[in-house]
């Protein structure tokens, strides 16, 4: 089907300088015929943020102009562009960060599929990103969420 199995792994980035904090994150990743998809929950000072990374396949300029973002949890979408912290192109991939509400975090912790898509308008048929990254075991995300909150 053009997609590899999603792998979920936990990583820690150690602070580089005094005053910085370590960041622990849970990364869901798979390769597809359309490039890489990454759904990353970052634990920063006991708060969760979302980072998504995907391959724009040479259309970075077009996708960077898209203003409407949706979080997909088990096929249900919630508009999140007002919660976007940043979006940039890094090494040819779109990277976008978002604040999450407690309700979104709770839903993500129990999800079977996850994704984030960007569109030029709410009615647009074409989107950038991914909408159904599989979660093999909801315990993986739930346990990470609990460990972040301490």
């Amino acid at each position: 089907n053009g997609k590899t199995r999603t792998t979920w792994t936990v990583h820690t980035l150690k602070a580089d300088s005094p005053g910085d904090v370590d960041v622990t994150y849970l990364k869901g990743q798979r390769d597809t015929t359309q490039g890489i998809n990454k759904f990353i929950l970052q634990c920063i000072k006991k708060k969760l943020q979302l980072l998504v990374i995907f391959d724009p396949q040479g259309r970075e300029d077009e996708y960077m102009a898209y203003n409407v973002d949706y979080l997909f949890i088990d096929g249900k979408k919630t508009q999140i562009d007002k919660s976007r912290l940043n979006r940039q192109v890094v090494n040819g991939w779109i990277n976008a960060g978002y604040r999450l509400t407690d309700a979104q975090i709770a839903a993500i912790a129990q999800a079977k599929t996850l994704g984030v898509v960007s569109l030029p308008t709410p009615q647009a048929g074409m989107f950038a990103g991914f909408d159904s990254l599989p979660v093999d075991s909801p315990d993986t995300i739930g346990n990470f969420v609990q460990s972040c909150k301490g």
Side-chain angles (χ1 to χ4, degrees):
N1 67 359
K3 300 173 184 170
T4 62
R5 185 167 189 242
T6 304
T7 57
W8 291 88
T9 52
V10 176
H11 305 267
T12 300
L13 291 175
K14 293 292 184 187
D16 288 337
S17 18
D20 288 348
V21 296
D22 292 349
V23 176
T24 301
Y25 63 95
L26 173 65
K27 176 177 69 175
Q29 175 178 325
R30 79 170 165 188
D31 295 313
T32 74
T33 54
Q34 288 83 38
I36 199 155
N37 297 296
K38 296 182 184 182
F39 190 98
I40 301 168
L41 291 173
Q42 301 171 312
C43 181
I44 304 169
K45 296 183 179 179
K46 298 191 181 214
K47 296 210 181 256
L48 285 170
Q49 292 181 356
L50 173 61
L51 172 66
V52 292
I53 300 172
F54 63 90
D55 188 338
Q57 299 192 313
R59 299 173 80 172
E60 316 60 70
D61 292 340
E62 178 183 347
Y63 293 161
M64 288 297 289
Y66 286 9
N67 293 322
V68 181
D69 300 337
Y70 289 102
L71 171 64
F72 274 79
I73 301 173
D74 295 333
K76 295 176 185 160
K77 66 182 184 179
T78 303
Q79 195 164 347
I80 59 167
D81 40 89
K82 302 271 190 283
S83 299
R84 186 184 325 128
L85 298 167
N86 55 52
R87 182 165 59 193
Q88 59 189 344
V89 178
V90 178
N91 297 323
W93 291 339
I94 302 288
N95 288 238
Y98 302 88
R99 282 184 309 278
L100 295 169
T101 66
D102 289 341
Q104 289 166 338
I105 292 167
I108 289 169
Q110 299 176 31
K112 293 184 175 84
T113 61
L114 295 164
V116 172
V117 302
S118 296
L119 303 98
T121 68
Q123 299 79 22
M126 190 180 103
F127 66 85
F130 53 94
D131 61 359
S132 58
L133 187 75
V135 178
D136 292 336
S137 168
D139 289 345
T140 301
I141 296 176
N143 290 342
F144 182 78
V145 167
Q146 288 306 314
S147 71
C148 179
K149 292 180 178 183

